[in-house]
Amino acid sequence: NSIELFHQYNGKRPAFFTSHLFKKLLSNILYHFENCIVVGEPHHFQIIVYDAEHFNPYLTLNTSLPFLDNKEVRIKVNDLLPGTYRIKHYTLDKEHGALYQVWQSYNTQSGIDAESIEYINRVSYPKLQVSDQTVQHDFEYNLKLLTNAIHLIDVKRYIE
C-alpha cells in the first residue's frame, strides 16, 4: 500500500527521484501526448518524456523483446520567441539514478563494505546536463530513451 523511497542503508530508490522531479514541474499543461507532457509558459516550459513499460527488466529472459529497444526521440517545438534559452536536462533511467545496477556492480562475495555503500549512495542520482541554445524560430532536441526512463527537459528563455 505504499512506495518504498529508500533502499537499505538510506540509498534513494528511483521512486524517490521520480517524486523529486515531479516537485520541479510547473503547473500549466500546454501539451499532452502518449509519452510526453509539456508544462509551463512559452518563455519557460518543461518537456517530460517517459517510457513506462510495466515490468522488471532484470526478471526477463535473455531474448530480445521489441519494447526493450532504446528509442531515439526527436523533440521539436515550433514558433518560439527568438533568443537564447537555458536547457536543463534531467535523466532518470537504469544508468542514472537506479540503485540496483550500481549496487550489483559493487557487490562481492563478502558483501559490500561501508565505504562502498557511501559511494553508491553518492553516485546513484539522475544525470543533469546544462547547456545554452540559441533559437531563431524552432527548438529541436534529441535524446535516447531507455526502457522505464524519465527525461525532464527544462527550457527557459534568458531575459535580454
Side-chain angles (χ1 to χ4, degrees), residues 11-12 15 34 36 42 47 78 96 99 107 111 115 122 145 157:
K12 294 174 178 73
E34 186 177 345
C36 177
I47 304 166
N78 299 321
H96 308 99
L99 266 177
N107 199 3
E115 183 180 17
R122 273 196 320 274
L145 189 63
R157 184 172 184 263

Side-chain angles (χ1 to χ4, degrees), residues 26 28 30 38-46 77 79-87 154-160:
L26 303 170
N28 187 28
L30 300 173
V38 180
V39 296
E41 303 296 332
H43 66 282
H44 183 197
F45 57 93
Q46 297 165 322
V77 179
D79 300 324
L80 285 183
L81 293 171
T84 303
Y85 289 78
R86 181 202 65 213
I87 315 300
D154 187 284
V155 181
K156 185 174 184 178
R157 184 172 184 263
Y158 287 116
I159 305 297
E160 298 173 357

Side-chain angles (χ1 to χ4, degrees), residues 13-127:
R13 295 176 55 86
F16 174 89
F17 295 119
T18 301
S19 63
H20 179 71
L21 291 177
F22 180 76
K23 286 188 226 174
K24 290 182 173 299
L25 294 180
L26 303 170
S27 60
N28 187 28
I29 297 176
L30 300 173
Y31 176 78
H32 182 264
F33 192 63
E34 186 177 345
N35 291 333
C36 177
I37 301 170
V38 180
V39 296
E41 303 296 332
H43 66 282
H44 183 197
F45 57 93
Q46 297 165 322
I47 304 166
I48 303 96
V49 181
Y50 54 93
D51 179 41
E53 293 292 341
H54 300 287
F55 79 105
N56 185 336
Y58 300 104
L59 299 177
T60 60
L61 300 175
N62 290 332
T63 58
S64 178
L65 300 171
F67 64 87
L68 293 177
D69 295 338
N70 299 339
K71 297 166 183 76
E72 298 292 328
V73 176
R74 182 173 166 260
I75 298 168
K76 184 175 182 181
V77 179
N78 299 321
D79 300 324
L80 285 183
L81 293 171
T84 303
Y85 289 78
R86 181 202 65 213
I87 315 300
K88 289 173 98 174
H89 181 174
Y90 298 89
T91 303
L92 175 60
D93 59 19
K94 68 181 181 179
E95 296 172 0
H96 308 99
L99 266 177
Y100 184 79
Q101 189 168 343
V102 179
W103 193 267
Q104 290 300 96
S105 68
Y106 288 93
N107 199 3
T108 64
Q109 184 177 354
S110 62
I112 302 176
D113 63 357
E115 183 180 17
S116 298
I117 291 169
E118 286 178 27
Y119 178 77
I120 290 167
N121 289 340
R122 273 196 320 274
V123 299
S124 298
Y125 274 81
K127 180 179 177 182

